[in-house]
């Protein structure tokens, strides 16, 4: 079984992001936050740190957990119109009553570096150029980096969120995989997932995917990040059990996560260089 780590790829993408950032003006990413959720704040701080490392300025625009939807909308609209800002991202969770999907429509698609605006998803679905959500793009980048053949192969994505499952299904289709998408109402999940030559789990349930869900030799990508008993992170895939069946498997942490952050930075550098 091959472990598909993401650290080496993430480092290579950061090098590209740095070169692209240096080629343009001063790229600037604005991350809008309206939460006091510690895990979320930790994530945005880690983005800011990684951005600084590749020469991208990163502003954390913290509206606080009591922010009203109109305030978030106004902030996204203002940042979208600011010529000094090249990438705009809306971090979840949001306060009750605020919908990320509705609010993300205020992000200029040319600055939508995390592919959150429904227009970006629509363009992806239509096969037109758009920024894909960084996590979905990270899964594709990992598959390519590890030279996983996609054309004509059976791919199963578990999870249909607009940030991971749906855009990923379109990206896989674009690469000529035969794609099935599963979700919470899928009957006999294991019967479907065990048909996959490439299986992606993007659910948010620790250990959901066990050995019985995986075909011998399958490539398994674990997008899930769930709190582990030891205070760290664990994926949706039961790593120990599935390692005995799969041909290749991503670890959590150290798989999709680092590639996601690196791609967000590369998207920002690209947004700054758009004609
Ligand atoms: P989400 O919006 O909560 O979507 C979860 C999806 O899983 C839904 O489509 C849901 O189905 C489906 N689901 C729930 N229970 C299921 C079950 N028992 N069997 C089959 N499908 C089931 O989550 P998300 O934002 O897509 O995130 C998914 C996971 O990825 C989370 O762990 C998140 O933390 C992680 N994530 C990681 C990164 C990274 O960079 N590594 C980035 C983003 C997200 P329904 O649609 O029917 O409800």
């Amino acid at each position: 079984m091959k472990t598909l780590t993401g650290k080496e790829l993430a480092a290579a993408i950061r090098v590209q992001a740095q070169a692209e950032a240096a080629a343009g003006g001063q790229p600037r990413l604005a991350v809008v936050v309206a939460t006091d959720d510690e895990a979320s704040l930790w994530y945005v701080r880690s983005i800011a740190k990684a951005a600084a490392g590749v020469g991208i300025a990163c502003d954390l625009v913290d509206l606080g957990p009591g922010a009203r939807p109109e305030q978030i909308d106004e902030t996204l609209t203002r940042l979208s119109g600011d010529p000094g800002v090249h990438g705009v991202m809306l971090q979840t969770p949001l306060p009750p009553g605020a919908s990320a999907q509705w609010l993300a429509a205020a992000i200029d698609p040319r600055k939508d570096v995390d592919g959150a605006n429904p227009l970006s998803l629509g363009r992806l679905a239509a096969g037109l150029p758009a920024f894909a959500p960084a996590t979905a793009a990270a899964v594709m980048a990992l598959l390519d980096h590890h030279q996983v053949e996609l054309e004509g192969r059976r791919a199963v994505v578990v999870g249909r969120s607009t940030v991971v499952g749906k855009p990923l299904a379109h990206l896989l289709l674009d690469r000529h995989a035969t794609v099935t998408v599963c979700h919470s109402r899928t009957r006999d999940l294991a019967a479907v997932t065990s048909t996959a030559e490439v299986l992606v789990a993007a659910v948010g349930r620790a250990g959901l995917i066990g050995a019985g869900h995986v075909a011998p030799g399958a490539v398994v990508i674990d997008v899930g990040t769930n709190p582990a008993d030891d205070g760290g992170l664990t994926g949706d895939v039961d790593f120990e059990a599935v390692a005995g069946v799969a041909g290749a498997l991503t670890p959590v942490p150290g798989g999709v996560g680092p590639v996601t952050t690196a791609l967000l930075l590369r998207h920002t550098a690209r947004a700054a260089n758009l004609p």
Side-chain angles (χ1 to χ4, degrees), residues 48-73:
K49 198 171 152 203
V54 301
I56 293 176
C58 181
D59 299 334
L60 300 185
V61 184
D62 191 351
L63 302 178
R68 286 171 293 104
E70 310 84 73
Q71 233 180 315
I72 300 171
D73 184 71

Side-chain angles (χ1 to χ4, degrees), residues 43 134-135 138 158-165 182-186 189 201-205 208 222-226 234 236 256-258 260-261:
Y43 177 60
T135 307
V158 188
R160 58 173 166 181
S161 72
T162 48
V163 288
V164 193
C182 299
H183 45 78
S184 66
R185 320 277 173 96
T186 298
L189 183 67
V203 174
R205 289 194 178 207
L208 176 73
D222 191 354
V223 178
T225 51
N226 309 291
T234 186
D236 290 345
V256 176
T260 299
T261 307

Side-chain angles (χ1 to χ4, degrees), residues 143 147-156 172 175-180 195-198 217-219:
L143 291 169
Q147 296 173 332
V148 176
E149 177 72 37
L150 292 171
E151 186 168 336
R153 296 185 86 191
R154 288 186 302 277
V156 174
L172 287 164
R175 298 287 298 279
H176 312 295
T178 301
V179 182
T180 303
T195 64
E197 294 170 276
V198 176
V219 174

Side-chain angles (χ1 to χ4, degrees), residues 30-37 40-41 44-45 59-65 67 72 75-76 89-95:
V31 184
V32 176
V33 186
T35 182
D36 54 8
D37 177 77
S40 181
L41 293 171
V44 295
R45 279 186 224 114
D59 299 334
L60 300 185
V61 184
D62 191 351
L63 302 178
I72 300 171
T75 304
L76 294 172
M89 185 183 150
L90 176 60
Q91 178 63 19
T92 55
L94 293 175

Side-chain angles (χ1 to χ4, degrees), residues 10 14-15 17-18 29 42-58 257-258 260-266:
R14 282 197 302 271
V15 169
Q18 185 159 24
L29 170 67
W42 179 88
Y43 177 60
V44 295
R45 279 186 224 114
S46 76
I47 293 172
K49 198 171 152 203
V54 301
I56 293 176
C58 181
T260 299
T261 307
L263 278 173
L264 192 64
L265 302 179
R266 196 173 74 186

